[in-house]
Amino acid sequence: TVQPNIYHFFADATITQSSDAKQKELNKCNQLELKGLESIAPLVRSVEETPEPIATEVCGTIPTWIRGSLLRNGPGKFEFGNQHYNHWFDGMAMLHQFKIEDGKVTYRSRFLQSDAYKKNSERNRIMVSEFGTVAMPDPCKNFFLRFLSRFEMIEATDNASVSFVKYKGDCFVSTETNYMYRVDPESLETQNKVDWTKFIAVNMATAHPHTEPDGTTYNMGNSYGRKGALYNIIKVPPMKNNPEETLEGAKVLCSIVPADKARPSYYHSFAMSENYVVFIEQSIKMDLLKIVTAKLRGKGISEGIYWDPKQDTVFHLVDKHTGQTSSVKFHTKALSVFHQINAYEEDGFLMLDMCCSDNGEAINTYLIQNLRKSGEALDQAYNNMYRVFPRRFVLPLNVTNDTPTGVNLNTRPASSATSFKTAIDKVVCQFEDLHGEDLYEYGGLEFPQINYSKFNTRPYRYFYGCGFRHLVGDSLLKIDLEGKKVKVWYQKGLFPSEPVFIPSPDAVEEDDGVILSVVVTPTEDKSTFLLVLNAKTWEELGRAEVPVNIPYGFHGTFNPTA
């Protein structure tokens, strides 16, 4: 971990690592260069849906106290006719269910019946633009109509392929536009389409909301108007007045003005502690002019998203109870962040734990053509990527006009993170690593998960994730923050997905429970299985083998049986 003595003040009153120390740190974070990576092309190929439940073959033992369904979301179809999607995020949403009962598991899957999926299927061509793919004009139209169609705005897709989320007790699938779909978690049938813009003045919402124990849900979404963009904190009440309700009662808790209204930051998620929502205004930017003219230029929306290493990353704190935004802004160097681990308050500080990279160009790496590469081209695609590592920032909550400058405000003796006040409303922060040297060997960590129901917004000890010695996760990791030790589940040729923690019914300790992860392999046909690990010992308890092919997906959740 970089210590405070490598800092010095520059004339612009910022604190920066010395160039030698910075380069040394970057080299260490990205020292893992690999050769001979196996092709994972079969993990990003289209598959057929399995709408009726099928039995799996259980090897080992699956605890009988696990009763419910692991629900997973991700792309499952990557072309229509002879037209192919360009980006991994573009594939049509496929919903997966692993239903667990009495130690047995059944599997089913369905394509989300979104308008995008139905339009594409009816014409057997890509009719709706996605993140990295622009729908080309219909060749059946005459030249003049095809020309005019170039000037139409790209319509937001309703291909909700990122995650399963809950609002007011109902199950939805979500992406990063203004559309969600309510789905039946038992049958996976698509129910009704929900548009955020019908309830509040936002143009999109993330697929990673946070939920309080009482069911109150927080999310974030941008709004775009004549005066530019705003970041908005959204609050959704926990209860319904009638069964048909979806987002009624939602409100914008507060709005945050971007540093550059024409180029706001891209964000995939946000953090939440007991009393604060923490928005990370990172150095991945969206060029709104390029985005609104994307169709005219025949480009996907992704062309308007870029990495700006000259921009600080800024943490904004919003009081959940009053909606007031702190006047003090917390700055750090340019970072990219997709997922937070946890955030909690203790002794006048807010601990912000998240998975960070020192470069924000990874979005462009996940083009389907890269994921389907082999040989040296695949090795090069992986080795050019910056790794993602778990890090902690310690934000002092009681910064006033009397707080001294030039003094490390982080007085927690066990923490090497630093926070220096450099102006009346500015604190510059440097992280501490939440891992030991051994994590470099496993390619860093992403898709972080915790014992959410008991320890979200609270001090915690364990988190789980995927190790990345490939373009997708190839191991399951457990990190113990006491000693920053790592436990690893790895089997060559197997690619596990995001781990989901389920506490045991008689849990006493934080890690009493199991981890569920869907594991796929590109080398054998129909060789997917649901893996069950003892979360405490990290030993395999059992697996349920599925006789159909499943692509590598994004996010999931466990829906317990009532």
Side-chain angles (χ1 to χ4, degrees):
T1 302
V2 181
Q3 298 299 321
N5 60 8
I6 70 166
Y7 289 91
H8 58 281
F9 284 88
F10 283 98
D12 63 353
T14 62
I15 303 173
T16 308
Q17 288 175 265
S18 70
S19 58
D20 290 345
K22 182 176 180 180
Q23 189 59 51
K24 182 178 179 181
E25 181 183 355
L26 292 180
N27 290 343
K28 182 173 69 172
C29 288
N30 296 282
Q31 66 185 1
L32 184 65
E33 288 207 2
L34 299 179
K35 294 183 178 180
L37 292 174
E38 65 179 294
S39 171
I40 57 170
L43 306 187
V44 285
R45 293 228 171 105
S46 298
V47 299
E48 298 295 324
E49 64 181 1
T50 308
E52 298 301 322
I54 58 174
T56 66
E57 183 177 345
V58 174
C59 301
T61 302
I62 295 178
T64 56
W65 58 261
I66 306 175
R67 298 179 64 85
S69 298
L70 176 66
L71 304 174
R72 293 272 303 159
N73 198 353
K77 186 172 178 61
F78 297 93
E79 68 284 314
F80 285 92
N82 61 3
Q83 295 184 349
H84 298 257
Y85 288 114
N86 297 324
H87 201 282
W88 191 24
F89 298 171
D90 298 345
M92 292 292 97
M94 180 174 245
L95 316 181
H96 308 266
Q97 178 204 70
F98 293 83
K99 190 170 185 177
I100 308 171
E101 193 171 47
D102 299 327
K104 298 178 181 179
V105 180
T106 60
Y107 169 79
R108 76 188 328 161
S109 64
R110 289 182 186 269
F111 282 109
L112 177 70
Q113 297 299 301
S114 63
D115 289 343
Y117 178 80
K118 289 188 285 190
K119 288 178 182 178
N120 296 339
S121 298
E122 287 168 3
R123 301 295 297 271
N124 198 30
R125 64 189 301 271
I126 296 173
M127 299 291 295
V128 178
S129 296
E130 300 291 340
F131 176 73
T133 306
V134 62
M136 301 307 293
D138 189 341
C140 295
K141 292 181 178 179
N142 64 40
F143 173 80
F144 183 65
L145 291 177
R146 290 202 306 271
F147 175 74
L148 287 181
S149 70
R150 288 281 195 175
F151 293 87
E152 297 172 356
M153 285 283 291
I154 290 182
E155 181 184 357
T157 181
D158 62 348
N159 176 37
S161 63
V162 177
S163 66
F164 277 85
V165 297
K166 278 194 173 183
Y167 292 98
K168 301 184 181 182
D170 285 341
C171 191
F172 295 82
V173 288
S174 179
T175 180
E176 295 184 335
T177 68
N178 54 301
Y179 296 119
M180 299 190 300
Y181 275 91
R182 183 157 51 181
V183 299
D184 184 336
E186 286 299 313
S187 67
L188 297 185
E189 290 180 350
T190 304
Q191 294 180 327
N192 54 307
K193 183 175 178 176
V194 179
D195 183 350
W196 279 96
T197 66
K198 303 298 184 185
F199 300 92
I200 51 175
V202 297
N203 297 94
M204 54 80 70
T206 82
H208 289 290
H210 279 289
T211 303
E212 301 275 29
D214 71 349
T216 300
T217 306
Y218 293 85
N219 205 338
M220 284 198 62
N222 281 5
S223 58
Y224 306 103
R226 288 178 296 175
K227 296 183 179 180
L230 292 173
Y231 311 119
N232 302 288
I233 312 296
I234 305 165
K235 184 177 182 179
V236 181
M239 305 297 292
K240 293 193 288 186
N241 293 318
N242 65 73
E244 300 305 313
E245 274 195 11
T246 54
L247 297 175
E248 282 83 356
K251 66 178 183 179
V252 172
L253 187 65
C254 83
S255 299
I256 300 169
V257 179
D260 182 344
K261 287 187 176 184
R263 294 177 178 83
S265 287
Y266 167 80
Y267 55 92
H268 184 71
S269 59
F270 63 99
M272 185 177 82
S273 68
E274 182 180 2
N275 295 297
Y276 296 94
V277 169
V278 186
F279 169 55
I280 299 103
E281 189 174 21
Q282 62 179 335
S283 307
I284 302 177
K285 300 296 180 180
M286 298 188 296
D287 187 321
L288 297 185
L289 180 60
K290 283 189 175 181
I291 289 173
V292 299
T293 61
K295 189 171 185 178
L296 176 64
R297 297 180 293 110
K299 301 291 186 180
I301 293 171
S302 59
E303 293 281 332
I305 297 179
Y306 66 100
W307 167 245
D308 186 353
K310 297 179 182 179
Q311 295 294 319
D312 281 358
T313 295
V314 181
F315 306 129
H316 300 265
L317 270 58
V318 177
D319 189 304
K320 287 159 54 176
H321 311 294
T322 66
Q324 293 296 311
T325 303
S326 172
S327 60
V328 177
K329 308 302 178 187
F330 300 87
H331 289 242
T332 191
K333 65 178 184 177
L335 295 172
S336 70
V337 180
F338 277 86
H339 302 110
Q340 288 76 43
I341 305 167
N342 200 3
Y344 65 92
E345 302 156 42
E346 193 173 65
D347 302 329
F349 296 93
L350 190 150
M351 268 54 70
L352 175 60
D353 298 350
M354 54 192 189
C355 293
C356 309
S357 172
D358 295 306
N359 184 283
E361 298 176 351
I363 289 178
N364 297 322
T365 300
Y366 286 97
L367 297 171
I368 291 175
Q369 65 183 23
N370 286 337
L371 293 169
R372 291 178 177 172
K373 285 179 178 177
S374 60
E376 291 184 6
L378 177 60
D379 296 345
Q380 183 177 5
Y382 174 79
N383 292 325
N384 285 341
M385 283 181 62
Y386 275 60
R387 312 292 173 254
V388 177
F389 291 93
R391 296 168 174 174
R392 171 172 292 176
F393 290 87
V394 179
L395 313 182
L397 294 173
N398 301 312
V399 178
T400 68
N401 291 346
D402 298 327
T403 301
T405 59
V407 176
N408 181 13
L409 304 178
N410 178 18
T411 56
R412 295 170 65 85
S415 172
S416 58
T418 60
S419 298
F420 287 84
K421 179 183 173 184
T422 60
I424 192 169
D425 58 355
K426 181 177 180 179
V427 174
V428 176
C429 304
Q430 168 66 14
F431 63 84
E432 66 171 301
D433 292 322
L434 292 183
H435 62 90
E437 294 285 330
D438 47 4
L439 189 60
Y440 297 119
E441 177 186 346
Y442 298 105
L445 182 147
E446 250 291 6
F447 293 139
Q449 290 287 311
I450 61 170
N451 183 343
Y452 189 94
S453 62
K454 298 293 185 183
F455 288 89
N456 188 52
T457 75
R458 300 185 179 105
Y460 71 113
R461 178 173 172 179
Y462 304 102
F463 64 95
Y464 316 93
C466 288
F468 273 73
R469 284 181 295 195
H470 210 300
L471 293 178
V472 298
D474 76 328
S475 62
L476 290 170
L477 308 177
K478 173 186 179 181
I479 290 189
D480 182 349
L481 289 174
E482 290 189 11
K484 300 179 180 178
K485 302 172 185 175
V486 63
K487 288 184 177 180
V488 182
W489 182 93
Y490 168 78
Q491 292 185 18
K492 184 175 174 55
L494 299 183
F495 295 87
S497 64
E498 173 189 62
V500 174
F501 178 87
I502 308 173
S504 61
D506 55 351
V508 175
E509 297 184 318
E510 180 183 339
D511 58 348
D512 284 341
V514 299
I515 288 290
L516 301 182
S517 176
V518 178
V519 181
V520 294
T521 174
T523 57
E524 297 179 35
D525 191 44
K526 300 178 181 178
S527 55
T528 302
F529 60 91
L530 175 67
L531 174 69
V532 184
L533 293 180
N534 181 318
K536 183 176 287 294
T537 66
W538 218 238
E539 295 173 348
E540 181 175 334
L541 297 175
R543 57 178 70 179
E545 298 177 346
V546 183
V548 297
N549 291 321
I550 300 177
Y552 196 93
F554 296 142
H555 297 289
T557 188
F558 185 74
N559 189 50
T561 300

